[in-house]
Amino acid sequence: PAPAPAPTSAATDVDASSWVVGDSPLLVIKAHQSSVSAMDTHMLGPDGTLSSGQPHAFSSTHSKGQLLFVSGGDDNALTLTLLSLSLLDPAGDTPPSVTLLTQHTVPSAHASSLVGVHIASPCRVHTTSADGRWATWAVFPCASGLGVTGLASVPLLIGDVHASALARIPQRGDSQEAQTAQIAAVVGLGVHLLTDILA
């Protein structure tokens, strides 16, 4: 059987952890100054290439890869963390390990706490916040590891924003090739649906 990726968790103790089921955390990283309020992860290939496409899948012959871990906090910050994963091989000869490669924080990503973080692709991240805005960010490699820049910020038409979700819906364009549309739902005092989201 293929080895399973290390589960990742975050909590109000400001730390994020990577785990092996039934054991202690392999790595605990400080991601925020206060509680972690939202998170998402995306598996990359062994070389960690930041490119759009399907997440890397572990198999019985490929037990190494990189994990892009993105989190939002009550400190209004957006943090991107790149981890290197080496998981148990089928024979159980190699112990699992998780290594922090690089981390980048946008201190004031929003004017209030983040309530939703969504990785649309390794190059694109969306966030939503109690400040009533939906933001889109570009992620790119740079000399220091990871770079992040804001692409768009959209005001939401509802108040008391406290959750969001991103859905990918298959559809066919004029070329009859399979395409994917992204639709977001933000929940608060009502529901705000966003279409034509930057992928």
Side-chain angles (χ1 to χ4, degrees), residues 72-198:
D74 285 347
D75 56 0
N76 307 352
L78 173 67
T79 298
L80 291 89
T81 304
L82 189 62
L83 304 173
S84 174
L85 306 182
S86 179
L87 306 182
L88 284 170
D89 59 71
D93 298 329
T94 305
S97 65
V98 181
T99 304
L100 174 63
L101 296 178
T102 185
Q103 189 175 63
H104 181 88
T105 296
V106 181
S108 299
H110 283 269
S112 188
S113 60
L114 278 70
V115 298
V117 172
H118 310 284
I119 302 176
S121 75
C123 302
R124 196 76 74 241
V125 171
H126 303 291
T127 58
T128 190
S129 165
D131 67 3
R133 302 191 74 85
W134 172 277
T136 299
W137 308 84
V139 183
F140 53 90
C142 63
S144 60
L146 288 176
V148 185
T149 186
L151 293 179
S153 180
V154 179
L156 300 169
L157 303 180
I158 58 174
D160 193 22
V161 174
H162 59 262
S164 60
L166 181 68
R168 298 167 180 83
I169 302 176
Q171 63 179 9
R172 292 193 176 276
D174 296 336
S175 63
Q176 295 303 308
E177 294 181 358
Q179 299 178 350
T180 301
Q182 298 192 58
I183 298 177
V186 183
V187 179
L189 295 178
V191 178
H192 187 141
L193 296 178
L194 298 101
T195 58
D196 298 327
I197 296 172
L198 292 173

Side-chain angles (χ1 to χ4, degrees), residues 18-20 22-27:
S18 289
W19 302 77
V20 167
D23 209 336
S24 301
L26 295 175
L27 177 70

